[in-house]
């Protein structure tokens, strides 16, 4: 079955009890047991809830995995997955990983003696060099934020296979529509479902998918112990968002491609970062592992004055953190996602004061171009 059809018909779209074409929001914390010798499937909603289960089964199917898990945020998904490791374990992680992932690894998990080495993963040799005897996993994010740097997933996975190391991929930017890391041999996928999967800037949620039963059991033990589960209302919103994932991303992406090309022609713009444009580093690798360029692009103005003018004057777009919503979201990494990184270090990473990230929404291209034109001086 093709992906767009699978979004609508995956075996989790009809309520088994009633036939309802929308999975009910099972707003229940506990479940009556009818028979002391045979308890029902559900006993307590931290351990299992039918609305959450429909979402978890759906994402498992979309990522071609064994089992899915829904968490209270993308960070809860990532933190829970990383909690399957133990003191003394070492993990290789890409240096331009999401800021929250950087924070949980360096500020929290490090206190539990899980050790991390940050590498520029756009060259897989750096991953190989960082592997030690106690390395248990490689954590990757591609394309990365905000410069859309590409990691060769197949290359990294083959290194990991040689050494019997797990590969975890944060697939938020691509969604399972455009990239399926498990099909490429990765072991666990995590998502901030807050972004494209939810798609409407109205829910914070996270998802994880394990490739096999062994890993699923380990993640389930953490989900049930740690308890960072997603509530049934929010599960329902994600189930609803998922149905239009393909059709939204098709339009997001087409407009993003046109906008990237348009921006590149502007004399005020110094550089455009988007896997869809010619010359983007790692572009061939990206298209060997993903079926599209996605809907997030970044660009640099030539001057700070142009940058400020743009951010203060852009219309028909939100100036905000986050991405993946129906509305175009313009963000300023220097003062938003990367504000905690000292200026020099930030500049060295390529996140200058003139860099702007755009999550291209569903507005019509011509209107976006008009709005952008007015804000570019
Ligand atoms: C937003 C984001 C996260 C964190 O997700 P939350 O839902 O905000 O907790 C993780 N990874 C990436 C790539 C993100 O964009």
């Amino acid at each position: 079955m093709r992906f767009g059809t699978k979004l609508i018909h995956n075996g989790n779209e009809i309520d088994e009890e009633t036939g309802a074409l929308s999975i009910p929001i099972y707003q229940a914390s506990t479940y009556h047991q009818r028979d002391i010798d045979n308890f029902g499937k559900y006993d307590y909603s931290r351990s299992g809830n039918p609305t959450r289960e429909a979402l978890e089964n759906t994402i498992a199917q979309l990522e071609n995995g064994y089992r899915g898990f829904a968490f209270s945020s993308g960070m809860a998904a990532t933190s829970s997955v990383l909690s399957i490791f133990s003191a003394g374990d070492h993990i290789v992680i890409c240096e331009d990983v999401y800021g929250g992932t950087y924070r949980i690894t360096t500020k929290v998990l490090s206190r539990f003696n899980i050790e991390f080495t940050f590498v520029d993963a756009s060259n897989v040799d750096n991953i190989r060099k960082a592997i030690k005897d106690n390395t248990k996993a490689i954590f990757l994010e591609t394309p990365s934020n905000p410069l859309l740097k590409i990691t060769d997933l197949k290359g990294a996975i083959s290194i990991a296979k040689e050494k019997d190391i797990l590969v975890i991929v944060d697939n938020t930017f691509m969604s399972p529509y455009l990239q399926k890391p498990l099909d490429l041999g990765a072991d666990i996928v995590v998502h901030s479902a807050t972004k494209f999967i939810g798609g409407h800037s109205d829910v914070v949620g996270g998802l994880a998918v394990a490739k096999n039963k062994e890993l699923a059991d380990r993640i389930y033990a953490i989900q049930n112990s740690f308890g960072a589960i997603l509530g049934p209302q929010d599960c329902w919103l994600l189930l609803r968002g998922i149905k239009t994932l393909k059709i939204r991303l098709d339009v997001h992406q087409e407009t993003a491609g046109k906008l990237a090309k348009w921006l590149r022609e502007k004399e005020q713009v110094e550089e455009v970062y988007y896997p869809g444009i010619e010359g983007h580093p790692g572009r061939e690798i990206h298209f060997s592992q993903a079926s599209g360029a996605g809907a997030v692009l970044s660009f640099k103005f030539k001057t700070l004055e142009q940058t400020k003018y743009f951010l203060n004057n852009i219309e028909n777009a939100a100036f905000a953190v986050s991405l993946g919503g129906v509305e175009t979201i313009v963000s300023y990494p220097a003062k938003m996602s990367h504000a905690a990184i000292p200026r020099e270090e930030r500049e060295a990473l390529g996140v200058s004061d003139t860099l702007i990230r755009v999550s291209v929404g569903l507005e019509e291209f011509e209107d976006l171009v008009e709005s952008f034109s007015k804000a570019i001086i």
Side-chain angles (χ1 to χ4, degrees):
M1 204 189 283
R2 287 161 190 82
F3 190 82
T5 310
K6 212 169 162 186
L7 291 171
I8 317 292
H9 303 284
N10 51 60
N12 303 293
E13 66 277 14
I14 299 170
D15 178 45
E16 287 195 12
E17 289 296 319
T18 63
L21 277 175
S22 151
I23 299 298
I25 299 168
Y26 283 94
Q27 193 72 55
S29 61
T30 188
Y31 304 80
H32 176 65
Q33 307 301 331
R34 294 194 167 88
D35 177 348
I36 180 151
D37 292 319
N38 294 298
F39 280 8
K41 181 174 176 191
Y42 305 100
D43 63 356
Y44 187 60
S45 274
R46 172 160 38 72
S47 311
N49 171 286
T51 316
R52 194 173 88 225
E53 193 176 85
L55 171 63
E56 292 177 331
N57 291 342
T58 301
I59 192 65
Q61 294 227 2
L62 300 180
E63 289 282 6
N64 292 333
Y66 175 79
R67 182 167 175 185
F69 302 91
F71 294 96
S72 52
S73 68
M75 279 323 303
T78 296
S79 306
S80 297
V81 162
L82 289 175
S83 300
I84 69 172
F85 299 101
S86 303
D89 289 350
H90 171 248
I91 296 172
V92 179
I93 184 164
C94 54
E95 65 184 5
D96 44 2
V97 74
Y98 177 74
T101 308
Y102 181 79
R103 191 161 50 219
I104 181 82
T105 53
T106 55
K107 298 253 162 38
V108 183
L109 295 170
S110 56
R111 289 195 284 107
F112 295 89
N113 284 336
I114 300 175
E115 192 198 342
F116 293 87
T117 300
F118 289 84
V119 299
D120 175 358
S122 62
N123 178 351
V124 288
D125 285 340
N126 295 331
I127 299 177
R128 189 190 293 279
K129 283 186 206 136
I131 291 174
K132 307 199 285 189
D133 287 345
N134 60 338
T135 304
K136 294 289 161 65
I138 302 170
F139 189 102
L140 300 171
E141 197 180 306
T142 181
S144 72
N145 179 31
L147 295 174
L148 292 304
K149 281 168 79 173
I150 305 301
T151 296
D152 173 4
L153 286 176
K154 281 181 253 175
I157 287 161
S158 83
I159 293 171
K161 290 249 151 83
E162 269 171 45
K163 316 245 175 187
D164 214 8
I165 293 169
L166 298 176
V167 175
I168 305 166
V169 180
D170 182 335
N171 202 26
T172 300
F173 270 42
M174 289 285 100
S175 90
Y177 173 37
L178 301 177
Q179 183 168 272
K180 291 190 191 64
L182 301 185
D183 284 359
L184 302 172
D187 301 281
I188 302 171
V189 169
V190 292
H191 282 284
S192 170
T194 313
K195 316 294 169 54
F196 291 103
I197 289 180
H200 295 73
S201 303
D202 54 10
V203 59
V204 171
L207 297 168
V209 181
K211 159 181 104 168
N212 60 29
K213 181 169 188 312
E214 191 253 329
L215 288 171
D217 289 349
R218 285 164 75 186
I219 296 171
Y220 179 72
I222 301 291
Q223 186 192 41
N224 196 31
S225 310
F226 212 72
I229 48 155
L230 191 64
Q233 299 255 0
D234 289 344
C235 288
W236 185 87
L237 280 168
L238 292 185
L239 280 167
R240 180 171 166 136
I242 281 172
K243 294 181 191 187
T244 54
L245 179 64
K246 177 181 184 289
I247 196 163
R248 281 186 284 110
L249 259 170
D250 281 342
V251 177
H252 281 301
Q253 183 168 256
E254 195 192 329
T255 310
K258 288 192 210 160
L259 193 65
K261 284 206 189 99
W262 181 85
L263 281 167
R264 209 163 58 159
E265 300 301 315
K266 301 299 285 184
E267 56 160 323
Q268 296 92 332
V269 172
E270 188 174 279
E271 181 104 51
V272 177
Y273 303 87
Y274 183 61
I277 53 172
E278 296 286 337
H280 184 80
R283 184 171 189 258
E284 271 77 53
I285 290 171
H286 177 76
F287 281 101
S288 76
Q289 61 196 18
S291 63
V296 180
L297 60 91
S298 292
F299 67 98
K300 262 180 200 161
F301 275 115
K302 288 194 171 138
T303 70
L304 190 57
E305 189 201 356
Q306 289 165 337
T307 313
K308 285 189 172 164
Y309 187 88
F310 178 84
L311 292 172
N312 285 331
N313 292 282
I314 183 71
E315 287 173 1
N316 296 320
F319 176 39
V321 298
S322 200
L323 55 106
V326 290
E327 59 290 288
T328 291
I329 301 177
V330 168
S331 49
Y332 187 40
K335 285 203 170 177
M336 290 174 163
S337 53
H338 291 64
I341 306 175
R343 185 154 191 267
E344 268 162 40
E345 219 177 295
R346 182 162 55 68
E347 296 267 352
L349 287 172
V351 183
S352 70
D353 289 340
T354 57
L355 182 76
I356 287 172
R357 189 189 75 193
V358 186
S359 168
V360 179
L362 299 181
E363 302 88 352
E364 300 215 20
F365 172 66
E366 289 73 13
D367 292 321
L368 276 181
V369 160
E370 260 176 48
S371 303
F372 272 61
S373 296
K374 281 192 218 151
I376 294 177
I377 54 164

